[in-house]
Amino acid sequence: MTDDDIASGRSGLKPGKRPTINDVARIAGVSKKTVSRVINQSPFVREETRVKVSAVIDELGFTPDVQARGLAFRRSFLVGLIYDNPSPNYVVNMQQGVLDALRGSGLELVVHPCDRANPNLVAEIRAFVERQKLFGVILPPSVSEDEAVIDVLRDLDCPYVRIASVSLDEPGRMLVTNDHLGAAEAGRHLADLGHRRIGFISGPALFRSSAQRGGGLRGALAEKSVALDERYVAQGAYTFESGVEAAKVLLGLDPRPTAIFTGNDEMALGVFKVARDMGLEIPRDLSVVGYDDLPMASRVWPNLTSVRLPIRDMGRMAAEKLLAPMRGLDPAKLDQPEVRPSLVVRDSAAALTA
């Protein structure tokens, strides 16, 4: 359609009438839903359709107001945080980061805990998104790793951002945490302190981060010519209680490990408890390194050496990606730093003494 087409009235608009989304859809020959998707920069629109609809919008001078846009796109002003992480400290830090980004946007946060092992997970999430008519969704691990959940969000045309230890999606929908790098730092640190019998308490198998952190540890130890003996590997569940149970197993071995690296700080505190109950002194008798560097790491004694994962920043950056299209920005090209875990050395790990 040309300027002459509009000027001649073939658009069907009466002089002085403000164009509506229905006018755009009719002239472009598409559905109102497709126009809404173009306006909201949905990736699920063919490029030729996007160009055609955008041209009509420009020619008509169509400008949707916020309320009409929300109705057309069937969206509320709610952002969902759907999580299955068993660590309450992780979840709270993630929420704070999301709220940092939402402040002043007119959007609010609604949280939805779930159990990824639940056979009704997908149906439950579909119902939650449809019921709340969510503006978009932020998915921390491990629910971010569930492709069936992603398929539902795509089917509902619900924008989302995934947080995971490796890239699982296009850049505009991903925040990659590079978990293996932090675990590698922990492994090198313990090897440099002279430890050779190193225990590892992993997270649950359902979490990709468990494999990434274990792989990072093994790779770094191999660089130092140290093998991770599978006898000293125990599986936890990213909870304090599972750290206690795993520590009982590892510290009951003969010879016991001289150091233990845990997949998160919650489990590291479980190791602290068992060591104390056995009369072991940290770090004289046992070195301990955690992961996440939650606030608790600097509040226990001795202070916990831990791999810092900027969880609050991660929540903020994920929310910024989700909000980018609303602000006319490309979420794949935001000026955000790469998430790189780093070791924070404190008092819970020390050089091995003879």
Side-chain angles (χ1 to χ4, degrees):
M1 187 178 62
T2 67
D3 291 340
D4 290 337
D5 290 328
I6 295 176
S8 65
R10 278 177 284 179
S11 63
L13 294 178
K14 295 180 180 179
K17 180 180 179 293
R18 180 180 177 182
T20 68
I21 192 171
N22 289 321
D23 295 323
V24 175
R26 174 176 53 79
I27 296 169
V30 299
S31 68
K32 187 166 69 172
K33 184 175 182 180
T34 297
V35 177
S36 294
R37 286 176 172 172
V38 173
I39 292 171
N40 288 276
Q41 300 186 33
S42 168
F44 305 112
V45 178
R46 289 186 302 175
E47 184 59 25
E48 62 185 82
T49 302
R50 187 189 309 280
V51 170
K52 179 172 65 174
V53 173
S54 296
V56 173
I57 289 173
D58 291 341
E59 295 288 358
L60 294 181
F62 172 68
T63 305
D65 61 58
V66 175
Q67 289 188 344
R69 182 176 176 180
L71 289 171
F73 200 47
R74 292 179 54 85
R75 291 285 179 256
S76 68
F77 296 97
L78 297 176
V79 170
L81 177 66
I82 303 176
Y83 68 89
D84 65 336
N85 195 300
S87 170
N89 286 285
Y90 182 100
V91 174
V92 168
N93 274 270
M94 181 67 63
Q95 287 182 42
Q96 289 174 333
V98 174
L99 290 171
D100 288 341
L102 295 187
R103 195 166 291 116
S105 70
L107 299 171
E108 301 292 343
L109 176 65
V110 56
V111 298
H112 184 77
C114 64
D115 178 3
R116 196 175 163 202
N118 182 349
N120 297 318
L121 172 69
V122 173
E124 173 194 318
I125 290 178
R126 176 184 285 274
F128 170 63
V129 174
E130 289 181 326
R131 182 172 61 252
Q132 300 294 339
K133 293 182 172 59
L134 297 178
F135 171 87
V137 170
I138 295 170
L139 304 168
S142 75
V143 70
S144 62
E145 301 159 7
D146 196 315
E147 294 302 326
V149 170
I150 301 303
D151 288 343
V152 163
L153 296 177
R154 288 174 175 163
D155 182 56
L156 295 174
D157 198 22
C158 180
Y160 64 85
V161 174
R162 308 163 78 170
I163 303 172
S165 54
V166 297
S167 181
L168 303 171
D169 213 318
E170 59 189 77
R173 295 176 176 271
M174 276 301 313
L175 192 71
V176 181
T177 58
N178 298 298
D179 289 36
H180 65 289
L181 298 178
E185 277 199 53
R188 294 188 195 99
H189 181 62
L190 290 174
D192 289 343
L193 290 173
H195 295 280
R196 295 297 179 266
R197 291 198 309 276
I198 297 173
F200 173 48
I201 302 178
S202 76
L206 200 58
F207 281 64
R208 191 181 296 261
S209 59
S210 297
Q212 288 295 309
R213 294 174 189 184
L217 176 67
R218 286 180 172 85
L221 293 181
E223 293 172 8
K224 301 288 185 178
S225 299
V226 177
L228 181 62
D229 192 325
E230 291 303 315
R231 292 180 302 163
Y232 296 118
V233 177
Q235 183 174 306
Y238 283 159
T239 63
F240 172 82
E241 293 78 12
S242 69
V244 168
E245 294 306 311
K248 287 178 180 177
V249 172
L250 295 182
L251 295 179
L253 295 173
D254 185 18
R256 66 172 180 260
T258 62
I260 294 179
F261 170 57
T262 64
N264 75 349
D265 291 346
E266 297 267 0
M267 296 191 296
L269 296 191
V271 176
F272 270 43
K273 180 185 186 308
V274 174
R276 183 191 62 197
D277 291 347
M278 294 178 63
L280 301 176
E281 184 177 328
I282 297 173
R284 185 193 65 189
D285 303 314
L286 176 70
S287 287
V288 181
V289 176
Y291 203 109
D292 288 341
D293 193 37
L294 296 172
M296 67 176 71
S298 59
R299 297 172 185 170
V300 296
W301 185 257
N303 293 167
L304 176 65
T305 293
S306 182
V307 176
R308 174 172 293 164
L309 195 60
I311 298 169
R312 182 166 180 165
D313 287 341
M314 287 156 42
R316 175 182 54 77
M317 288 190 286
E320 287 173 350
K321 279 181 178 285
L322 191 66
L323 268 58
M326 182 179 77
R327 295 167 173 166
L329 303 173
D330 183 345
K333 297 179 180 179
L334 293 181
D335 185 17
Q336 294 181 330
E338 181 182 10
V339 178
R340 292 185 66 87
S342 59
L343 185 69
V344 179
V345 177
R346 296 193 181 94
D347 304 320
S348 65
L352 184 65
T353 57

